[in-house]
Amino acid sequence: ASEVLVEIFGRGKTSRLYRSLVINQKIASSSVAWYDPDNLDIGTFGISGTPKLGISLATLENAVKSEISKLIKNGVTKKEVKRAKNTLIASVTYAKDSLRSIPNIIGQALSTGRTISKIENWPKNIQAVTVNQVNEAARAIFRKERSVTATSWPKNIRNKK
């Protein structure tokens, strides 16, 4: 469900985060969310954004927090989940065309305790994800006590602050 969540929330130009921050509010030049399920633990879910010139980092951070709040309060839609699942499953089809992708996927999965069977069943498991599971994943992931915020500024800008 976390992979479907990240697809809806922050992966690509049709994601909620991108549409809100870049297209509608015009406060960011980029935004993205990612999830890395290939760790030995529960994985990493990250969000990144670049404020447009003249927009404070605090403004962008508050806008991201607002989008997270909307997601938790309103949940995802059936249409969003269906589109995300189709996109994720299509990505596997495209990966099969690459001589490097599949060996990398297999090697990464095996090195973190997954099995070939789990890899082969991934599309079926993604297809089985429900709206409720995605909403539960959002509530589990987006918790203040588990979040970390980091900022990165070029040296010449950082010294002027």
Side-chain angles (χ1 to χ4, degrees):
S2 299
E3 291 174 272
V4 176
L5 171 63
V6 76
E7 190 69 34
I8 293 167
F9 186 69
R11 191 175 289 149
K13 295 184 190 239
T14 60
S15 70
R16 287 184 176 197
L17 206 56
Y18 188 91
R19 284 184 314 202
S20 175
L21 305 179
V22 177
I23 296 171
N24 296 338
Q25 297 182 59
K26 299 180 183 354
I27 62 171
S29 57
S30 69
S31 69
V32 67
W34 67 92
Y35 172 66
D36 184 5
D38 295 322
N39 295 334
L40 292 173
D41 59 7
I42 60 171
T44 303
F45 195 105
I47 299 170
S48 177
T50 304
K52 281 192 169 181
L53 193 61
I55 303 297
S56 73
L57 200 52
T59 298
L60 182 59
E61 184 178 356
N62 288 334
V64 169
K65 288 178 181 177
S66 175
E67 288 305 310
I68 292 170
S69 293
K70 288 178 200 172
L71 177 68
I72 299 298
K73 180 181 177 189
N74 303 325
V76 298
T77 67
K78 192 173 185 178
K79 183 178 178 181
E80 287 176 313
V81 171
K82 181 178 180 182
R83 182 178 50 84
K85 291 191 299 188
N86 288 341
T87 300
L88 288 166
I89 292 168
S91 72
V92 171
T93 303
Y94 298 134
K96 289 178 183 177
D97 290 339
S98 168
L99 293 175
R100 288 193 320 188
S101 292
I102 295 300
N104 284 337
I105 290 168
I106 292 170
Q108 195 170 26
L110 292 176
S111 70
T112 56
R114 293 202 171 110
T115 64
I116 297 293
S117 174
K118 193 159 189 166
I119 297 167
E120 289 173 340
N121 289 323
W122 183 86
K124 185 173 71 175
N125 293 337
I126 288 294
Q127 195 60 46
V129 171
T130 66
V131 169
N132 286 340
Q133 288 171 323
V134 175
N135 288 329
E136 287 173 17
R139 287 189 295 273
I141 290 167
F142 294 121
R143 294 175 36 199
K144 280 185 182 182
E145 69 273 10
R146 294 177 60 189
S147 71
V148 175
T149 301
T151 59
S152 177
W153 290 98
K155 188 176 182 179
N156 61 337
I157 292 174
R158 186 176 44 226
N159 289 339
K160 291 179 182 178
K161 288 186 168 190

